[in-house]
Amino acid sequence: LEAGLSGLVGGLVGCFGGLGIAQFLAARTFSLGGTDLSASLQWVIFSITLILAVAVAQLGSFFPVRGAMRLDPVRTLKEN
């Protein structure tokens, strides 16, 4: 759950941060003669990006969680 939420938050920050940077670069680079170009949010790409961000976070946490599940909690907490 924690990895999934981290992936979701990271995906949201990345999508909106990337969109903001794209709009800034479009305004600075391509605004010649008053032409207003702006980046738009496409919901299909946004959804796929969030799904991939959550999937990568889940895959990245799989092996550490698997190793932690093999530990005996009482023995682990007792040892210094």
Side-chain angles (χ1 to χ4, degrees):
L1 180 64
E2 182 180 351
L5 288 175
S6 295
L8 183 65
V9 169
L12 287 170
V13 169
C15 282
F16 289 115
L19 185 63
I21 290 171
Q23 286 181 344
F24 173 75
L25 289 176
R28 295 280 295 173
T29 306
F30 300 113
S31 291
L32 302 173
T35 309
D36 184 30
L37 297 175
S38 64
S40 63
L41 181 65
Q42 296 180 1
W43 292 104
V44 172
I45 295 173
F46 180 71
S47 302
I48 291 171
T49 302
L50 288 181
I51 290 169
L52 285 174
V54 171
V56 166
Q58 292 292 333
L59 286 173
S61 67
F62 176 74
F63 290 110
V65 168
R66 191 170 135 202
M69 287 176 57
R70 292 181 179 171
L71 297 174
D72 181 26
V74 173
R75 202 165 155 205
T76 304
L77 291 173
K78 250 184 173 180
E79 293 177 5
N80 291 334

